[in-house]
Amino acid sequence: GQQVMQIPQYQHVQEGEDFTTYCNSSTTLSNIQWYKQRPGGHPVFLIQLVKSGEVKKQKRLTFQFGEAKKNSSLHITATQTTDVGTYFCAAGGTSYGKLTFGQGTILTVHP
Amino acid sequence: DAMVIQNPRYQVTQFGKPVTLSCSQTLNHNVMYWYQQKSSQAPKLLFHYYDKDFNNEADTPDNFQSRRPNTSFCFLDIRSPGLGDAAMYLCATSRDRDSTYEQYFGPGTRLTVT
């Protein structure tokens, strides 16, 4: 089945530093979604990327979809303590609208 | 506000004692999903309903069953919980069965098996 590798598994940063998490697939993806899960919370949809080479921004967050639609990244500029949580990529392209989740990157921000 | 609601938020059951978790939604979405999430892991899809059409993931144990009596409600039944079934159970919905639709997650039910 479809697999999505997400790295790093953990990232510890000082407040104000940048953060990036990467997702990679061996197969072409139809789309990729990003979710954030706060500690003790549930996944919350952030954004979806569909087009090759697509770049979307949400304030300090920048999302990219690779030209070959096999990889994606989420970059946070100048992290804040409110950015703490686990960031998941979730790839579409399989049957029944199933999303294949990456393993997630746990972000810790030290004040 | 339209939302996904899960009850109870915390459930303790004994080894082998059947338990039912519930999910309701006011979004009027066609698809409802059940995920199992263990600590520091990604959500693992157990099954989903597309309207009344039930779809089981190949690796979901037979111990897990689901019911969707109407559009708004969906239940997860664990017939004989084992210690390995302790986890967060997340219900999610999406408007339709296409991966380009975002999924809306409920707050989850944390299941403890003693």
Side-chain angles (χ1 to χ4, degrees):
Chain A
Q2 181 172 268
Q3 286 190 327
V4 178
M5 303 301 294
Q6 187 173 357
I7 56 170
Q9 187 175 359
Y10 301 93
Q11 186 74 61
H12 305 272
V13 300
Q14 290 293 131
E15 190 172 19
E17 291 181 340
D18 292 356
F19 158 77
T20 305
T21 175
Y22 302 89
C23 278
N24 294 287
S25 171
S26 59
T27 60
T28 302
L29 305 173
S30 63
N31 61 294
I32 195 157
Q33 298 180 0
W34 285 91
Y35 290 80
K36 177 183 179 180
Q37 185 171 20
R38 294 182 186 274
H42 57 278
V44 174
F45 174 82
L46 293 176
I47 211 158
Q48 175 169 253
L49 304 170
V50 178
K51 299 176 182 177
S52 169
E54 191 169 15
V55 178
K56 288 188 176 181
K57 293 189 176 184
Q58 288 180 349
K59 297 183 180 178
R60 294 177 295 103
L61 278 62
T62 302
F63 304 84
Q64 292 189 333
F65 204 8
E67 292 290 341
K69 299 182 71 173
K70 290 185 177 181
N71 58 76
S72 181
S73 65
L74 158 59
H75 179 82
I76 302 178
T77 303
T79 54
Q80 300 175 357
T81 54
T82 53
D83 296 325
V84 164
T86 303
Y87 292 85
F88 292 101
C89 61
T94 61
S95 60
Y96 302 112
K98 175 182 175 180
L99 290 175
T100 301
F101 281 82
Q103 297 92 328
T105 295
I106 301 172
L107 173 64
T108 305
V109 180
H110 300 283
Chain B
D1 287 340
M3 55 196 306
V4 181
I5 302 161
Q6 290 188 245
N7 287 302
R9 295 293 308 278
Y10 300 91
Q11 176 74 58
V12 180
T13 190
Q14 292 178 335
F15 183 94
K17 185 174 181 180
V19 66
T20 295
L21 311 181
S22 73
C23 176
S24 64
Q25 55 128 342
T26 60
L27 297 160
N28 202 33
H29 282 174
N30 285 325
V31 189
M32 296 187 77
Y33 306 84
W34 278 106
Y35 290 88
Q36 178 192 65
Q37 186 178 32
K38 297 188 175 181
S39 182
S40 299
Q41 295 184 18
K44 178 181 182 297
L45 182 64
L46 296 173
F47 25 60
H48 77 274
Y49 271 96
Y50 175 59
D51 195 13
K52 294 186 177 181
D53 181 26
F54 175 73
N55 296 274
N56 201 34
E57 291 298 298
D59 58 353
T60 298
D62 292 341
N63 197 27
F64 292 86
Q65 302 288 322
S66 186
R67 297 170 281 135
R68 188 179 186 186
N70 54 54
T71 301
S72 301
F73 285 87
C74 197
F75 300 96
L76 169 61
D77 301 307
I78 309 176
R79 294 192 295 187
S80 182
L83 298 179
D85 296 327
M88 175 74 83
Y89 289 88
L90 294 163
C91 174
T93 72
S94 67
R95 191 188 306 174
D96 212 330
R97 194 169 60 176
D98 184 300
S99 65
T100 57
Y101 288 100
E102 66 183 269
Q103 294 189 12
Y104 295 77
F105 286 81
T109 295
R110 182 164 297 283
L111 178 68
T112 300
V113 182
T114 61

